[in-house]
Amino acid sequence: MKTALFVVVLALFLATGVITLLGLINKVHIEKQYLNKLFFALILELSGAVIYLFAGTDFYAAEAQEVVSPSQPLLSLASALNQRFPGETAASIEARLRLYDGIEQSLEQTQSELDDKNLEVTRLKVEQAQLSAEVNLRADQIKLLNNEMKARQEAMAKLVKLEKKFLVRMAELNSRISEWGSSINFRWQPDEKREVALMLQEAFKEIGFMETANLPNDDPMTTHDILVRYQKSKRFKEIGFLTPQVVAFIIQDYLSPGLVR
């Protein structure tokens, strides 16, 4: 119903306006007395419409909605505090809130201290890992050194054993020389000196004077040739005879391998 009434009023307003404007510009012939009345009616309609619009519009409604009472936040806070702490006075609530603030500050300080401690613990763990790695490395090095020392001790023991064995054989060779006098000539009665020839070749093999591919044998003539070469290398004045001096030089070369030429 309101819509139909609005449409009718709007149509009449438009018709009045159009006819009046056409009459004023002489597009439509209207007698002056009627034209004045139409113009007056148009002015009244415009005035009424404007007054109606101004009267129906609340220009300060938005501002009134935006304005909040200064006491509204306090009232909201008071309501929230009453719900959280029912039955307590404002003083007790204030004391409780101050206590909470103190506890919160203490917790924040404690958390900061814990963070610092955690950083320190992390740093100490890193240092501990580094020290553990270094200790393990040192332990491995000590283990290697112990193994090397053990191997050297075993080698030394073996060498001492060999030296004792070699020295015993040299002592036996020296005693065999004494059976023939002050020296042995392998070219005289060689068949009776094969055992001594073998012992001498084995001694030369031990000190590295014989070729690696050559194996000791009991041939007195071969032994004689090797003996002559050895005596020449040592610049003996008399060569071709096995003497205790030759045995002494062989022992010296065995104990000092660098002297063997």
Side-chain angles (χ1 to χ4, degrees):
M1 190 66 176
K2 290 182 179 181
T3 302
L5 180 61
F6 174 75
V7 171
V8 172
V9 172
L10 182 60
L12 291 175
F13 177 74
L14 291 175
T16 303
V18 170
I19 293 172
T20 302
L21 292 174
L22 291 176
L24 290 174
I25 61 176
N26 294 323
K27 294 294 183 178
V28 177
H29 178 69
I30 302 175
E31 294 184 1
K32 188 176 183 179
Q33 57 179 351
Y34 295 115
L35 183 59
N36 290 335
K37 292 180 179 180
L38 287 172
F39 182 74
F40 181 73
L42 179 61
I43 295 300
L44 288 177
E45 289 175 356
L46 289 172
S47 300
V50 171
I51 292 171
Y52 178 77
L53 288 175
F54 270 83
T57 303
D58 188 1
F59 293 99
Y60 301 100
E63 296 181 1
Q65 292 177 358
E66 294 177 358
V67 175
V68 180
S69 175
S71 61
Q72 186 63 32
L74 296 177
L75 293 176
S76 300
L77 178 60
S79 177
L81 291 175
N82 286 330
Q83 292 179 1
R84 186 173 180 181
F85 308 106
E88 294 191 20
T89 62
S92 63
I93 293 175
E94 182 180 2
R96 186 188 292 271
L97 292 177
R98 288 180 179 177
L99 179 61
Y100 287 168
D101 290 339
I103 295 174
E104 185 176 1
Q105 292 177 358
S106 178
L107 289 175
E108 291 177 355
Q109 183 178 0
T110 303
Q111 185 63 41
S112 177
E113 293 177 354
L114 287 176
D115 293 339
D116 294 339
K117 295 296 184 182
N118 289 332
L119 291 175
E120 183 68 16
V121 169
T122 302
R123 184 182 64 81
L124 292 176
K125 286 183 178 180
V126 172
E127 292 181 356
Q128 182 181 5
Q130 294 175 349
L131 290 175
S132 297
E134 185 175 357
V135 168
N136 292 334
L137 179 61
R138 295 295 176 84
D140 293 338
Q141 292 176 349
I142 293 173
K143 185 177 180 180
L144 291 175
L145 290 175
N146 289 333
N147 292 336
E148 183 178 358
M149 184 179 296
K150 184 178 179 180
R152 289 187 178 182
Q153 290 175 350
E154 292 176 354
M156 184 64 68
K158 184 177 180 181
L159 180 60
V160 170
K161 185 177 180 181
L162 291 175
E163 287 179 354
K164 289 181 178 180
K165 184 177 180 182
F166 180 80
L167 293 176
V168 168
R169 286 186 298 174
M170 291 299 98
E172 183 179 355
L173 179 61
N174 198 44
S175 65
R176 297 297 293 271
I177 294 173
S178 63
E179 293 177 1
W180 294 89
S182 60
S183 64
I184 295 177
N185 184 2
F186 290 101
R187 291 182 295 181
W188 182 67
Q189 296 181 351
D191 291 337
E192 298 179 6
K193 301 171 183 174
R194 288 185 177 278
E195 186 178 356
V196 179
L198 178 60
M199 293 175 63
L200 184 57
Q201 284 195 36
E202 288 177 346
F204 283 137
K205 188 70 173 180
E206 288 288 341
I207 65 175
F209 192 74
M210 290 180 61
E211 297 293 335
T212 306
N214 295 337
L215 296 177
N217 56 61
D218 60 352
D219 184 10
M221 295 298 101
T222 302
T223 305
H224 175 76
D225 294 338
I226 299 174
L227 175 61
V228 170
R229 286 192 295 107
Y230 182 76
Q231 288 174 329
K232 287 181 179 180
S233 69
K234 299 298 182 180
R235 295 181 177 87
F236 275 65
K237 292 181 179 181
E238 185 178 0
I239 60 176
F241 297 93
L242 175 61
T243 62
Q245 186 181 7
V246 174
V247 175
F249 269 84
I250 293 175
I251 294 174
Q252 183 179 0
D253 289 339
Y254 181 81
L255 298 178
S256 303
L259 299 178
V260 180
R261 290 185 280 178

